Amino acid sequence: MRDVLDRLLAWWEAGESVAVGTVVATFQSAPRPPGAVMLVGPGLEAVGSVSGGCVEGAVYQLGEEILESGDPVLQRYGVSDESAFAVGLTCGGILDVFVEKVDRTSFPELGEVATDIAEGRPVAVATVVAHPDPARLGKRLIVRPGGHDGSIGSERADDAIVDDSRGLLANGRTETLEYGPDGQRRGEGMRVFVSSYAPVPRLLVFGAIDFAAAVARLGAFLGYRVTVCDARAVFATASRFPSADDVIVDWPHRYLAGEAAAGRIDDRTVICVLTHDPKFDVPLLEVALRLPQVAYIGAMGSRRTHDDRLKRLREAGLSADEVARLASPIGLDLGARTPEETAVSIAAEIIAQRWGGAGQRLSSAAGPIHH
């Protein structure tokens, strides 16, 4: 919902009603992940996407109907027969889309949720998308690490949903949970979509070089909060890295250790070491490779630099398992030459590691496109 939140909030603040279609579950090769949102505004404007173009027309039509009726609907779209082309989902996937009417009455907490998201405070929205009792559809809980607001009408169900939502929020995960009608953990009949809004994941780029500027641009494009850090003040300037959210002048290993001690490094954090200078990167990697949680650690350099780096890390006392966490030389083999091409190869490796991709050409592979 982050992509459309500004438009949704503007209509909500103006007292308007908006139909909100949210992908709550996907199967097979679905084009968009759970949490993708499309809005049908008060003037019947379409904002956002639930399928990259496949079923937008059908969801738009359903949104129009729900703006009139006010009754939420969970609709499945998929290729199952010759009528599939009526909604255009020809990719072979299946989407469950929950479409509801959102306004100040149905979602009074939206303003507070938007503030939490904007200020980087973790918050989850748990919405009932299926239930034997139609009156429970669309009921929601707002879950934060230290408390929650709202109720779905059952204390037992509230307790189960809050507990499970906090677990998802801690890991930045968005998914649909299933319970019995009254929150029984081993039952079925009630489905609850939990949309987690954890702080934006971080990309830490060490080394204020031209390659770092390209990596920062691509990292910002991919949705990371980008920090560039270098000990040399003459190079680490905001004017050289306009795409970075933060440009830090400090010794890289000292900065990373401080961020870890402050709890600002998690299992979504990406670390790119582009200094390829042992006096900077070896102390930095000693800290990075010993972090308990991190998504990716990559270091730039030639094969000779890589071999020398590994030798120095082993001499510094790092174990084989710790050294094995390092992606070096950084990036996938794309034949990259320019800083921009190299940034693409680094981003490709980060994406492949995140989702379990093999990094090979899709045209030469078989099986699902989306891992």
Side-chain angles (χ1 to χ4, degrees):
M1 189 171 71
R2 291 180 190 270
D3 294 343
V4 300
L5 183 56
D6 288 346
R7 293 293 300 277
L8 175 60
L9 186 63
W11 281 321
W12 181 88
E13 289 175 336
E16 302 282 4
S17 296
V18 183
V20 179
T22 304
V23 177
V24 300
T26 64
F27 309 91
Q28 301 174 29
S29 185
R32 295 295 305 277
V37 170
M38 176 180 172
L39 310 178
V40 180
L44 300 184
E45 305 96 325
V47 179
S49 172
V50 292
S51 68
C54 296
V55 302
E56 262 64 20
V59 174
Y60 179 86
Q61 183 177 357
L62 184 56
E64 285 186 282
E65 296 170 4
I66 286 169
L67 281 176
E68 291 291 329
S69 69
D71 298 326
V73 172
L74 178 64
Q75 181 67 51
R76 174 163 291 184
Y77 300 98
V79 176
S80 57
D81 54 38
E82 64 276 4
S83 66
F85 285 90
V87 297
L89 189 59
T90 58
C91 62
I94 298 171
L95 298 174
D96 282 351
V97 181
F98 183 70
V99 187
E100 60 182 324
K101 182 179 179 179
V102 168
D103 54 27
R104 284 184 170 270
T105 300
S106 66
F107 197 166
E109 310 92 347
L110 179 60
E112 295 176 359
V113 170
T115 299
D116 285 338
I117 295 172
E119 297 184 1
R121 293 190 294 267
V123 61
V125 180
T127 306
V128 178
V129 298
H131 199 283
D133 180 0
R136 297 277 187 96
L137 285 179
K139 296 285 187 181
R140 60 174 53 86
L141 288 161
I142 311 302
V143 182
R144 299 178 177 88
H148 72 278
D149 297 314
S151 173
I152 69 159
S154 161
E155 183 176 351
R156 177 181 182 179
D158 288 351
D159 289 344
I161 294 167
V162 168
D163 186 47
D164 293 341
S165 296
R166 283 193 180 132
L168 293 175
L169 183 58
N171 291 288
R173 289 167 52 198
T174 288
E175 62 183 63
T176 297
L177 306 175
E178 187 154 354
Y179 305 91
D182 197 39
Q184 302 94 326
R185 291 189 179 277
R186 296 191 178 183
E188 59 182 25
M190 177 170 67
R191 296 173 65 192
V192 179
F193 179 66
V194 182
S195 187
S196 295
Y197 301 98
V200 174
R202 300 186 68 189
L203 168 61
L204 307 181
V205 182
F206 294 98
I209 62 176
D210 50 356
F211 289 92
V215 170
R217 287 196 297 272
L218 197 51
F221 174 74
L222 292 175
Y224 287 93
R225 180 177 181 85
V226 179
T227 298
V228 175
C229 175
D230 197 298
R232 302 164 297 179
V234 68
F235 296 117
T237 63
S239 61
R240 294 189 70 228
F241 300 97
S243 299
D245 297 282
D246 306 289
V247 179
I248 305 296
V249 178
D250 198 353
W251 280 85
H253 70 283
R254 185 169 60 192
Y255 175 73
L256 181 59
E259 292 298 285
R264 291 190 285 267
I265 306 297
D266 61 24
D267 59 3
R268 300 173 302 145
T269 302
V270 169
I271 297 173
C272 294
V273 180
L274 309 183
T275 50
H276 53 81
D277 182 336
K279 72 174 178 289
F280 290 118
D281 61 18
V282 172
L284 170 60
L285 288 170
E286 286 185 57
V287 176
L289 294 171
R290 287 172 170 148
L291 290 170
Q293 294 185 357
V294 68
Y296 172 90
I297 305 168
M300 177 178 282
S302 66
R303 298 288 182 188
R304 178 179 298 178
T305 298
H306 169 72
D307 292 340
D308 178 69
R309 181 187 293 134
L310 292 185
K311 178 182 176 182
R312 291 172 184 267
L313 290 172
R314 294 189 187 103
E315 290 173 350
L318 272 77
S319 69
D321 287 342
E322 289 169 336
V323 171
R325 302 174 71 191
L326 177 62
S328 173
I330 195 170
L332 295 186
D333 180 11
L334 304 184
R337 294 290 187 274
T338 67
E340 291 74 18
E341 290 174 346
T342 302
V344 170
S345 96
I346 293 170
E349 183 174 46
I350 293 167
I351 294 168
Q353 181 166 312
R354 178 183 181 186
W355 296 111
Q360 65 189 103
R361 299 181 68 186
L362 290 174
S363 61
S364 64
I369 293 176
H370 303 287
H371 292 263

